[in-house]
Amino acid sequence: MKNLLLHRIGAAALALTAVVAANAEGTRTAMLIGGTGIDNLNSQEAAAANYMKNEVGGDIITTSDLNKIDASVYDCIWIHIDRVNITKGWENLPDGFSSPTLSSALKQYVADGGNLYLSKYATQLLVPMERIEGTYAPGIVTENGEGGEGTDVWTINAHLGYWKGYLAPEEDRDVTQVYDRRNHKIYNDLSVWPAHCGLGFSEFETDTYPMEGTGDGSAMHREDHNCMWDLNSYQYTAEGRNTMEMFEAQTNSVVIGTWGHVVDFAVAGVVEFLPEAEGKGTVIANGLAACEWAPRSGVNKFHNNLEKMTSNVLNYLSGHGSSSVSGVEVAEPAAEAVYYNLQGVRVAQPTEGLYIKVEGRKATKVVL
């Protein structure tokens, strides 16, 4: 266990070192915040901003410094809007984020080749910067979002369409409509919450990435701030075999994550919006409530996953190891047994102890 923990810490450190080294070499990252500085942010946004400043080594710029939104200076800018009492619609975003001047600056930044990471309510900025039409704006937007206490683990599923390939009635089953996005670089080295693990807190059909929860069945308070896409609610003109394919074709995007329990094509939570033309930038939008930086109560056992995924996104958008996922990737259930410890971390060579053994879609607890 100690060696595994050290390995995870070392992997996270290497990812952060890559971003910081990139900053030192001139490939720069920054975070755009509202207000006048980190000290004036709420606990959620301040925690994310301090991570950017202290761990990643990126710059902090404010909505009063729009001249700094410059693709010749920053390869990647992160915007994270996460607070209660948000009202649906980009026009209602606080602290200058609804300004047409800001939208124009972001549009120009991407046109010049800059890349954006938009998280939580910031995903709505895709509309005023004219990256997507308003009819395809995020439709699952939690207003107020006080949330509450819960004992389950909130996860991200990147094994999309699992129902269609493996759980649908035999006459409707189609493995070519399973899109395994777990190989996307934003998920590199994340710990896994195994399917059907039998721990009693969360039961998912496929392996997912845990982002928030105590992991031991005790309660913690989570604010419930989703800002995502209800793929069943749009009228598409683009063709596709399912709503996810139609959404991707309509918006020139790739869906790379959804709620942990969703195994069909109903919801898009993490979306990569591809460059509209050569030389233009990429936008990754993450509207999942599970990516919470400062829970009100309880200790988030999976905070390392949040930091790791964030550093992966920033590395990816800064041009380090960029390799967009595209097309259809078919994934069969694993034939060989794989093992996880009780924290959901895959163990390549298990020794003595209690493990979760996963074969295909079957998971059992075993003692070695």
Side-chain angles (χ1 to χ4, degrees), residues 316-329:
Y316 178 75
L317 292 176
S318 295
H320 297 275
S322 297
S323 177
S324 176
V325 174
S326 60
V328 176
E329 299 182 24

Side-chain angles (χ1 to χ4, degrees), residues 98-153:
S98 61
S99 164
T101 307
L102 171 62
S103 302
S104 296
L106 294 176
K107 180 180 178 180
Q108 188 61 51
Y109 173 76
V110 173
D112 292 339
N115 304 294
L116 291 173
Y117 179 35
L118 306 177
S119 50
K120 295 296 185 78
Y121 294 113
T123 60
Q124 297 179 101
L125 290 171
L126 287 157
V127 174
M129 59 181 285
E130 299 181 343
R131 179 55 185 80
I132 60 174
E133 298 178 19
T135 50
Y136 301 102
I140 303 173
V141 182
T142 307
E143 299 187 297
N144 183 22
E146 287 286 349
E149 289 197 347
T151 60
D152 57 331
V153 176

Side-chain angles (χ1 to χ4, degrees), residues 161-178 241-242 263 265 330-333 361:
Y162 193 84
W163 177 87
K164 186 71 175 178
Y166 307 125
L167 304 176
E170 186 172 354
E171 62 272 16
D172 296 328
R173 205 168 295 164
D174 181 2
V175 294
T176 69
Q177 293 189 58
V178 178
R241 296 175 298 172
N242 52 65
V263 293
F265 308 113
V330 181
E332 299 281 356
R361 297 191 301 272

